[in-house]
Amino acid sequence: MIKLWSQFFIPTLKESPADAEIISHKLLLRAGLVRKLGGGLYTYLPLGLRSLQKITQLCREEMDAAGALELWMPHLHPVEFWQEGPRWTAAREIMYRADSAGQQSAGRRPSPEPEFVLGPTHEEIITPLVKSEITSYRDLPKNFYQIATKFRNEIRPRYGLMRAREFVMKDAYSFDADDAGATRSYRAMEAAYTKFFARCGLKTISVEADTGVMGGSFSHEFMVPAEVGDDDVVFCEECGYAANRQKAVSGLVPADLKDAAPTGAVEEFPTPGIVTIAALEAAPYSVPADQQFKTLLYVGDGKLFAVVLRGCDDLAEAKLGALGFNLFRPATPEEIIPIMGARPGSLGVVRGTIKNPGALAGIFADHAVRLIGNGVTGANRDGQHLRNVNVARDLAITKFDDFRSVREGEPCPKTGRPLRICRAIEVGHVFKLGTKYSEKFGAVYTDDQKQSRFMIMGCYGIGISRTLQAVIEQCHDADGIAWPWNVAPFQVLVVLLDPMVPAAAEVARKLAAAAEAAGADVLLDDRNERPGVKFKDADLIGVPLRITVGGRGLKEGIVEMKWRTEKDVAKVPLAEAEARVRAAVAGAPAR
RNA sequence: CGGGGCGUAGCUUAGCCUGGUAGAGCGUCUGGUUUGGGACCAGAAGGUCGCAGGUUCAAAUCCUGUCGCCCCGACCA
């Protein structure tokens, strides 16, 4: 159906509302795609909904093509499912509670827990379903997905749809009989994601990622490079290595590194009031940050442990996940002092200086600390530090591993070329979960040897509404949005400059009909507005192909065709117009 | 949750410091003139100045509290 602008609803704005910060958020509002209801809550207006539905449909097509099966799960989850799951403690903080007010006020349900929570994702729902419905290897593998609203109590919603409290997500869950199958399922989703984002007109890169509270063995994120992104992506231009900074590794520490020879015995020296790396770097101490030991204390599953880094390095907290703790957090001074003997700022892990070493669950050091020779660390006495500290001789390290955050310019682990870093928006994430959920919920099947085995799971998310905004972030210019063909709310806009002239209206109507017959979604601007208003609005809402029909052109016997992303305006003789429109529409998706 | 900022008409905002009639631009409505890149003229409607207390003869303005929103940090698609 051709839509008439005068009867549609596109409330464009000349100025953007003050609470929009980034360009895609401003354009969402200015082009009349969405309106804000509250923080992180948006209404999709008719124009915005059209794009959202196109993205949804593309996603559905790629998921179906990959063999996934669409279903629909409730958003209101009985809290028991989450309480029985493996991540209740971590997940409850981001979940909205839903109680029945009537029952509460009647005093029939004095429980401190809610009856229901609003679903932030659905592992806890799909796994019990599959557990009860699938019991044989003959029914595996299976991959179920849905495209639905998710609710997360984001600590800080921001940037419009980019990080919202309520958002549209495609979530898929695969169940396999064995590890090889699970890997195949994972690869199939990766391939489907690549196709999907390409069809949306988005340039994405796939990067190695951290599994976070989701758990699982490995994971990739699909990233849209953008200054406004929340993530840092580390990549090598030569070999294609790409990873989230939380996960990325560099070749900074040579594998054959020889530890420096000690130049003297460990020696304590006074450092009154010095509690930062920077202060020790300054005169009179003048110890370079890369020759200082940074000692951080964390609490993992209730036990204190230490992490040692070079003073110049930052901890990539996600890498602590490799230590096997379910939940960890920085320790407080109250927890640290009785065990270490000093306040943060004077800590160290030199043998014999820790007040109560038995209370530590471990001392973990980043590989890069081995680059330090005769370095400086805290003495575990306030206002005192130690010099001539050497890793092999003086420190009691439980385990070396990679804990530091990579910095731009460090050598790629494979090629040695300098690594680069860019900001990016995460639009998709695939996880190989393993058996974390199937074990917890008892999702087992019987194999061909009559053996009972846990299903191997994977889960796969795409931020549908976030993708919508990422497209705008990537496809716009100073005048407005420039939609890729496949996700444009309308693909052809016929601008009728003289709606009161019957001959012009007739030409416009015919060209609109031709475009529609060729398969395009068509909007006809029949408003009785001045040409300037119509052109400005056309650029703002970003319809890919614009056809202008006006009295001036008709006198010359032409109409105009213009692509949103190009400067040129083609003057098309009336006699050829319909054919040219059909040809343009037919060739458009390949542009 | 910590730090910073802002709440005045549908949108953008002035006024607040130094208390005394709430002002503009855009948008909307009416009439007219216009009509190829956000027109012009004339007129009109639209505000409990986020909310609640307090100080004062008098509060948008000062004080206290509260709510909401935005930005910076940790979490996530």
Side-chain angles (χ1 to χ4, degrees):
Chain A
M1 267 281 283
I2 296 167
K3 296 289 183 191
L4 299 180
W5 194 310
S6 64
Q7 289 165 35
F8 208 67
F9 181 67
I10 311 176
T12 59
L13 301 170
K14 276 191 195 176
E15 293 174 292
S16 41
D19 54 11
E21 177 85 358
I22 67 173
I23 185 67
S24 54
H25 187 193
K26 289 179 181 172
L27 288 173
L28 276 170
L29 294 164
R30 287 192 54 210
L33 300 169
V34 303
R35 285 295 183 263
K36 184 167 79 174
L37 176 67
L41 299 172
Y42 290 84
T43 295
Y44 292 86
L45 300 179
L47 196 66
L49 183 61
R50 288 181 70 97
S51 270
L52 188 76
Q53 287 174 334
K54 291 206 172 179
I55 294 171
T56 301
Q57 186 54 30
L58 290 175
C59 182
R60 181 173 286 126
E61 287 173 16
E62 292 304 331
M63 294 304 290
D64 289 345
L69 304 168
E70 186 169 11
L71 46 57
W72 178 271
M73 291 179 269
H75 300 115
L76 206 52
H77 299 172
V79 70
E80 293 79 14
F81 285 83
W82 283 86
Q83 289 167 329
E84 288 165 24
R87 53 174 172 170
W88 168 237
T89 321
R92 61 189 302 180
E93 292 176 20
I94 62 154
M95 293 196 290
Y96 287 104
R97 308 162 53 121
D99 291 287
S100 156
Q103 286 195 355
Q104 292 257 309
S105 61
R108 267 179 283 160
R109 206 177 176 288
S111 161
E113 296 294 353
E115 285 175 84
F116 299 101
V117 292
L118 291 174
T121 171
H122 281 71
E123 284 80 2
E124 277 77 354
I125 308 304
I126 191 79
T127 311
L129 176 85
V130 169
K131 165 198 161 75
S132 56
E133 302 302 327
I134 296 183
T135 53
S136 162
Y137 74 97
R138 294 175 197 275
D139 294 324
L140 294 176
K142 282 285 177 289
N143 185 340
F144 297 106
Y145 78 98
Q146 63 174 351
I147 300 173
T149 306
K150 292 281 182 282
F151 302 86
R152 289 187 194 173
N153 184 10
E154 287 293 342
I155 300 162
R156 185 152 87 84
R158 65 174 141 174
Y159 296 156
L161 306 179
M162 217 51 110
R163 182 182 302 210
R165 291 193 160 110
E166 183 181 320
F167 58 96
V168 181
M169 177 171 155
K170 184 285 302 174
D171 47 323
Y173 308 90
S174 68
F175 297 83
D176 274 272
D178 55 34
D179 198 69
T183 300
R184 274 196 301 279
S185 295
Y186 181 92
R187 297 293 170 208
M189 284 294 103
E190 247 190 323
Y193 276 33
T194 302
K195 279 191 213 160
F196 164 71
F197 288 118
R199 288 181 74 190
C200 288
L202 265 183
K203 292 184 186 66
T204 56
I205 49 178
S206 164
V207 310
E208 293 176 21
D210 176 53
T211 52
V213 292
M214 199 65 87
S217 44
F218 58 89
S219 153
H220 285 82
E221 288 166 335
F222 285 77
M223 295 292 206
V224 177
E227 278 309 309
V228 299
D230 281 337
D231 290 277
D232 285 324
V233 170
V234 174
F235 63 98
C236 170
E237 287 168 306
E238 188 174 324
C239 70
Y241 171 73
N244 192 306
R245 193 180 200 163
Q246 284 294 313
K247 178 91 178 175
V249 296
S250 78
L252 182 72
V253 184
D256 56 355
L257 177 73
K258 291 218 168 50
D259 292 340
T263 56
V266 173
E267 178 178 279
E268 188 164 329
F269 63 105
T271 50
I274 302 298
V275 293
T276 62
I277 302 287
L280 266 177
E281 258 194 302
Y285 307 104
S286 305
V287 182
D290 65 2
Q291 293 300 312
Q292 297 185 38
F293 294 90
K294 178 187 282 185
T295 307
L296 304 172
L297 274 293
Y298 271 73
V299 176
D301 296 343
K303 292 199 75 177
L304 213 65
F305 65 92
V307 184
V308 184
L309 297 146
R310 290 192 302 170
C312 58
D313 287 334
D314 293 318
L315 173 67
E317 214 171 66
K319 292 180 179 176
L320 295 181
L323 298 175
F325 298 106
N326 286 316
L327 217 57
F328 52 83
R329 58 166 173 84
T332 62
E334 292 71 38
E335 292 166 319
I336 293 170
I337 294 167
I339 291 174
M340 299 301 288
R343 311 178 60 80
S346 303
L347 303 179
V349 295
V350 171
R351 283 194 186 88
T353 65
I354 300 170
K355 191 173 175 190
N356 182 8
L360 284 179
I363 298 172
F364 304 100
D366 182 75
H367 291 304
V369 301
R370 295 181 57 220
L371 295 168
I372 302 176
N374 302 297
V376 169
T377 191
N380 292 324
R381 292 173 55 198
D382 289 341
Q384 298 286 319
H385 278 76
L386 303 173
R387 61 166 71 101
N388 284 336
V389 175
N390 286 278
V391 176
R393 183 188 67 185
D394 305 319
L395 305 185
I397 305 297
T398 313
K399 187 187 172 196
F400 284 93
D401 208 335
D402 175 50
F403 297 112
R404 61 187 291 278
S405 184
V406 170
R407 269 197 301 269
E408 178 137 34
E410 290 178 7
C412 167
K414 291 170 195 164
T415 66
R417 288 253 314 225
L419 289 167
R420 297 197 49 210
I421 296 184
C422 68
R423 299 288 288 174
I425 301 162
E426 179 189 355
V427 287
H429 204 154
V430 293
F431 293 89
K432 190 172 170 212
L433 280 178
T435 56
K436 178 171 175 175
Y437 295 86
S438 46
E439 283 186 36
K440 197 76 185 179
F441 286 103
V444 296
Y445 69 97
T446 306
D447 69 11
D448 56 2
Q449 305 298 311
K450 301 182 188 170
Q451 289 293 306
S452 189
R453 296 184 179 282
F454 288 117
M455 297 179 198
I456 317 289
M457 290 175 60
C459 72
Y460 317 94
I462 289 177
I464 298 289
S465 43
R466 180 181 283 182
T467 297
L468 171 69
Q469 189 170 344
V471 170
I472 298 173
E473 190 66 33
Q474 200 171 76
C475 306
H476 70 270
D477 62 19
D479 295 315
I481 304 170
W483 288 110
W485 184 264
N486 286 339
V487 298
F490 291 98
Q491 292 154 327
V492 174
L493 172 64
V494 179
V495 179
L496 172 55
L497 292 182
D498 302 286
M500 308 313 272
V501 177
E506 179 58 20
V507 170
R509 197 197 57 73
K510 274 170 71 175
L511 294 179
E516 185 181 49
D521 293 316
V522 183
L523 179 64
L524 173 55
D525 188 354
D526 61 331
R527 294 175 300 167
N528 194 16
E529 284 287 353
R530 297 173 60 83
V533 173
K534 295 191 166 204
F535 289 134
K536 287 289 184 191
D537 274 346
D539 288 343
L540 181 57
I541 70 168
V543 175
L545 179 60
R546 188 181 85 190
I547 298 167
T548 305
V549 179
R552 183 187 291 182
L554 291 183
K555 272 184 202 142
E556 292 178 51
I558 60 113
V559 296
E560 292 163 14
M561 277 180 42
K562 181 184 176 300
W563 294 99
R564 177 64 179 80
T565 51
E566 289 173 18
K567 245 183 124 89
D568 300 341
V569 179
K571 295 192 173 186
V572 179
L574 269 180
E576 300 171 21
E578 284 184 73
R580 287 281 296 277
V581 167
R582 275 195 297 271
V585 169
R591 288 173 65 84

